[in-house]
């Protein structure tokens, strides 16, 4: 796949040795190299957490914002310059806890960005507390008796809101993940890629071995129809003996930019600024 | 100065704003200058609201207590507001809405009963045209001719078709004729001189107009009174002005969306009020650290908490100046009137972009919702200064977003506009924008960012003065008290007291030139609409200074000259 090598992965990182994030960042670079994009045309917007550091470790423009605010920030940047390929990146805490409300509404807006969530089912950077994705029973720093909240299902939630592209990857399968990320970038509209990411330090349950025993590719399912929302939604609840990865659901919907197409015929950032342009509006207030 | 105060009171949903708008437009057309403020409750129907219009034969910037005309669309207007009518003033009420007690109150020669809705219906028009009946009735006290009112109705209802225009004109004529007949011996005021074109608009029109003139391209907001007018204005005019106004799911999203757009290279803003502004706290700090320009309008209403949602106060000053954690540069502007609001918006965007920092523009309900007549804006005065931006050609692959420079301002590159990569972070970062942990880089970056604050201070807007040059009494204020202070100063001077008004269009950082004013041998009073004296604290802590007294209002109602004069201690002026 990768012919181009313009997207490089930095060697030195602040991640733990063996972290699932390495698989994700390599898959991201692979996907982008495969698409033949130039790093100057790509903008990574990320939040805070170990996941949020990814943009610092791969070529591209970076807007590393606050914890949980990844999606609104990315939405603004994309609306201002639709020529940029915008990839939002964050952890499961960032996206599903602190930024949960933004997650719902970014999907509703259907802004044309790709959202990669490093789903390690734990708050990594703050050293191992429960996340909305932690499995019930998991003992963490804040849940000494085990996690008792119902886990958040990002895929089902996204489909409920009729997200146009809903996928799950696995950090341990870079080739597959890179393919999914490419498809997500090529999808016009909001594309969710939730990535199962082993956390070698704080998550002793959902390990590489644990995933290896369970993960299977949806594409190997005969007659899986990724345009059937009901079936896809049902599939998103499969979590246990077998865990599906791949593109669960894909459908084309008008994007946020389509709504503003008459304003966005030229990207906002390339439009002239002219005070004289308000003359017409001022005339509404003029008397005499 | 010849002035005339008209108050129209009624329930929410009764058409106060329509009557007010008709009269405001017609009076402006007739040549009057005016100031009109609105008082409304936090509800959609019912309650008691009013709009009060002050007409004058020269520019006015504040309101007066005593009424020449009171129009009552509901009973509460009579029971509550009758006492404000001057001797010789006229009351026009709708007898169909009054109970027995109120009916007794209006049994006076200066009270005219006019069943607005019934008159409209008798003329075969819908009830809603009661508004034009009332407007016609008031017009009879202003002019002997109805022509200008008819013209105004024609313009306002043109879109609805000829039948609606004619209907409104005919019912207005009926209201006009009845009142003229009953007040024949009463002289109408002299028609004001001069008929040069004017704008009539509110702060909530001027602020977004200023933003549009300044080239704002992106706005995101979440509705909250009294800032919502700004948001709806940009939404409504977005397509003509080619601006996106995207409603956010909350204020946190709103400001972060705007920050994202600004980072990408467009002028971006948000608008909110107290509680929503507080939710933007963290993002303000982010913009400071990441050095991303952003303009935030905070239209103040009385707090704490959701407080009095539809009333006015200046209680967010401390918050605007100090809100958020860590040290970062910022500026806080406080336009005092509609004209200043328009021109300061352009300045706010320039500051934000030249210093790559957040700029807060403080408005409040009184400024936001009050109409005033002003000369047409001079668009040639709007200068767009986008600060230091590197062009595509200059931006080589070794571009550093946070390159250390002598003045702390690093040239911006819009992502995608060159080979260089734009790397930005709110976590502490090096010149290249990537994350750092070492003490030395942290120290340098902190100093680089804060160097900009010094520049902002050196270039701070000077106080705007009015009244006597060598004052014995000084009234110092900011924001929407400007008009009230100016009028108090004018009255004091007319009484032989050498008074001076000092209005601060920039409250943070305060201009150094304020120090010299504070040295003047005058007695100084701080006038502000909050309980604790937030402006006083700010000036006191900056200049190690104390005023001779303070005049504060915190009942949610707007300041005016009378409020200030009533609270000045006796004998404060040797001249008086
Ligand atoms: C407003 C705010 N609250 C809390 C934090 C502390 N914090 C930093 S990262 C994080 C959670 C990290 O979890 P996740 O987003 O899943 O990222 P991971 O480190 O697991 O990749 C928290 C709570 C913060 N930076 N900002
Ligand atoms: Mg996590």
């Amino acid at each position: 796949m990768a012919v181009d090598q313009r997207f490089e992965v930095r060697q030195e990182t602040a991640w733990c040795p063996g972290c699932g994030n390495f698989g994700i960042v390599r898959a991201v670079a692979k996907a982008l190299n495969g698409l033949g994009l130039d790093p100057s045309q790509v903008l990574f917007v990320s939040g805070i957490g170990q996941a949020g550091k990814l943009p610092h470790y791969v070529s591209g423009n970076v807007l590393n914002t606050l914890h949980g605010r990844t999606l609104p920030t990315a939405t603004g940047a994309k609306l201002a310059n639709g020529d940029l390929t915008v990839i939002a990146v964050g952890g499961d805490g960032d996206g599903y806890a602190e930024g949960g409300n933004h997650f719902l509404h970014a999907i509703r807006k259907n802004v044309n960005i790709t959202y990669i969530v490093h789903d390690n089912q734990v708050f990594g950077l703050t050293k191992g507390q429960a996340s909305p994705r932690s499995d019930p029973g998991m003992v963490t720093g804040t849940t000494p008796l085990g996690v008792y909240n119902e886990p958040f299902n990002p895929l089902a939630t996204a489909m409920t809101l009729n997200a146009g592209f809903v996928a799950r990857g696995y950090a341990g399968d870079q080739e597959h993940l890179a393919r999914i990320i490419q498809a997500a970038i090529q999808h016009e509209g909001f594309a969710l890629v939730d990535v199962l990411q082993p956390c070698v330090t704080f998550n002793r349950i959902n390990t590489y071995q644990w995933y290896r025993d369970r993960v299977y590719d949806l594409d190997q399912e005969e007659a899986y129809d990724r345009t059937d929302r009901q079936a896809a939604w049902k599939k998103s609840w499969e979590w246990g003996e077998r865990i599906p990865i791949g593109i669960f659901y894909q459908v084309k919907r008008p994007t946020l930019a389509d709504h503003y197409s008459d304003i966005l015929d030229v990207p906002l950032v390339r439009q002239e600024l002219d005070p004289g342009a308000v003359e017409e509006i001022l005339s509404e207030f003029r008397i005499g | 100065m010849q002035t005339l105060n008209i108050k129209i009171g009624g329930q929410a949903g009764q058409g106060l704003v329509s009557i007010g708008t008709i009269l405001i437009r017609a009076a402006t057309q007739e040549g009057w200058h005016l100031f009109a403020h609105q008082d409304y409750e936090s509800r959609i129907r019912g309650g008691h609201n009013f709009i009060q219009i002050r007409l004058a034969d020269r520019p006015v910037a504040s309101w007066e207590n005593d009424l020449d005309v009171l129009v009552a669309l509901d009973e509460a207007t009579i029971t509550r507001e009758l006492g404000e009518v001057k001797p010789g003033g006229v009351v026009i009420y709708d007898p169909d809405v009054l109970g027995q007690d109120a009916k007794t109150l209006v049994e006076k020669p200066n009270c005219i009963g006019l069943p607005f809705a019934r008159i409209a219906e008798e003329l075969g028009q819908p009830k809603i045209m009661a508004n034009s009946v009332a407007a016609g009735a008031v017009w009879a006290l202003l002019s002997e001719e109805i022509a200008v009112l008819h013209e105004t109705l024609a313009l306002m209802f043109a879109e609805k078709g000829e039948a609606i225009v004619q209907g409104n004109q005919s019912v207005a004529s009926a209201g006009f004729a009845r009142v003229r007949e009953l007040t024949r011996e009463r002289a109408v005021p002299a028609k004001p001189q001069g008929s040069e074109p004017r704008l009539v608009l509110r702060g909530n029109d001027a602020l977004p107009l200023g933003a549009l003139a300044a080239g704002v391209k992106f706005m995101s907001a979440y509705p909250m009174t009294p800032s919502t007018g700004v948001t709806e204005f940009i939404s409504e005019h977005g397509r003509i002005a080619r601006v996106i106004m995207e409603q956010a799911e909350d204020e946190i999203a709103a400001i972060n969306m705007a920050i994202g757009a600004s980072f990408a290279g467009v002028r971006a803003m948000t608008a909110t009020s107290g509680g929503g502004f507080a939710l933007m706290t963290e993002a303000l700090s982010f913009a400071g650290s990441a050095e991303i320009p952003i303009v935030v309008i905070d239209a103040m209403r009385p707090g704490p908490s959701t407080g009095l949602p539809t009333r006015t106060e200046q209680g967010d000053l401390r918050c605007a100046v100090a809100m958020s954690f860590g040290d970062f540069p910022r500026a806080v502007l406080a336009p005092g009137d509609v004209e200043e609001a328009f021109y300061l918006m352009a300045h706010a965007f320039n500051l934000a972009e030249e210093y790559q920092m957040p700029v807060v523009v403080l408005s409040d309900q009184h400024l936001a919702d009050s109409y005033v007549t002003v000369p047409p804006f001079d668009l040639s005065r709007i200068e767009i200064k986008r600060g230091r931006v590197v062009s595509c050609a200059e931006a080589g692959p070794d571009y550093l977003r946070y390159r250390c420079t002598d003045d702390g301002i690093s040239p911006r590159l819009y992502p995608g506009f060159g080979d260089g990569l734009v790397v930005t972070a709110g976590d502490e970062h090096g010149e290249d924008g990537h994350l750092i942990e070492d003490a030395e880089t942290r120290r340098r970056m902190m100093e680089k960012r804060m160097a900009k604050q010094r520049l902002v201070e050196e270039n701070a807007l000077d106080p705007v003065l009015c009244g006597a040059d060598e004052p014995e009494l000084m009234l110092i204020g900011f924001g929407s008290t400007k008009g009230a202070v100016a009028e108090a100063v004018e009255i004091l001077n007319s009484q032989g007291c050498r008074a001076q008004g000092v209005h601060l269009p920039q409250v943070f950082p305060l201009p150094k030139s304020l120090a010299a004013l504070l040295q003047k041998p005058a007695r100084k009073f701080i006038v502000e609409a909050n309980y604790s004296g937030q402006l006083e604290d700010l000036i006191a802590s900056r200049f190690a200074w104390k005023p001779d007294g303070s005049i504060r209002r915190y009942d949610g109602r707007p300041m005016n000259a009378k409020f200030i004069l009533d609270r000045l201690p006796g004998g404060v002026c040797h001249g008086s």
Side-chain angles (χ1 to χ4, degrees), chain A residues 89-121:
Chain A
V89 187
D92 49 331
D94 192 86
Y96 304 146
E98 190 83 54
N101 195 27
H102 306 317
F103 177 64
L104 304 184
H105 294 279
I107 294 172
R108 290 183 54 237
K109 290 182 188 301
N110 200 27
V111 55
N112 184 13
I113 62 175
T114 297
Y115 183 32
I116 301 172
V117 182
H118 299 220
D119 188 352
N120 57 4
Q121 295 170 265

Side-chain angles (χ1 to χ4, degrees), chain B residues 239-393:
Chain B
R239 293 212 136 71
I240 304 178
R242 293 163 70 74
V243 177
I244 288 180
M245 193 338 271
E246 178 66 14
Q247 181 172 333
E249 57 272 24
D250 57 32
E251 289 82 354
I252 298 175
I255 187 169
N256 283 293
M257 245 192 257
I259 286 172
S262 175
F263 165 81
V266 303
R267 289 194 149 186
M269 70 184 244
T270 181
T272 184
S273 299
F277 186 45
L279 285 175
M280 296 180 179
T281 302
E282 193 191 19
L284 216 59
S285 184
F286 171 71
S289 169
E291 303 194 53
I292 299 175
I294 181 76
V295 174
V296 182
I297 295 175
D298 174 31
M300 296 180 282
R301 65 193 222 180
S305 190
T306 32
L308 280 172
T310 58
R311 304 297 152 102
T312 201
E313 198 159 284
Q314 298 181 308
D316 298 359
L317 174 62
R318 188 175 289 127
C319 189
V321 163
M323 188 166 93
S324 214
F325 47 95
D327 288 316
F328 59 91
R330 76 176 92 189
V332 182
L333 307 180
D337 55 38
V338 155
E339 271 188 289
E340 220 172 35
F342 178 78
Y343 294 110
L344 278 191
M345 278 310 287
H347 185 62
F349 279 101
N350 287 346
L351 279 180
E353 292 206 316
E354 289 185 276
Y355 301 105
Q356 303 171 18
M357 63 173 187
V359 174
V360 179
V361 178
L362 287 175
S363 168
D364 60 33
Q365 185 268 334
H366 190 50
L367 173 64
D369 290 335
S370 297
Y371 289 90
V372 64
T373 43
V374 293
F377 296 142
D378 179 2
L379 295 178
S380 71
R381 272 178 62 191
I382 303 288
E383 241 189 299
I384 294 178
K385 298 189 238 172
R386 303 216 55 187
R388 225 166 284 164
V389 179
V390 286
S391 68
C392 308

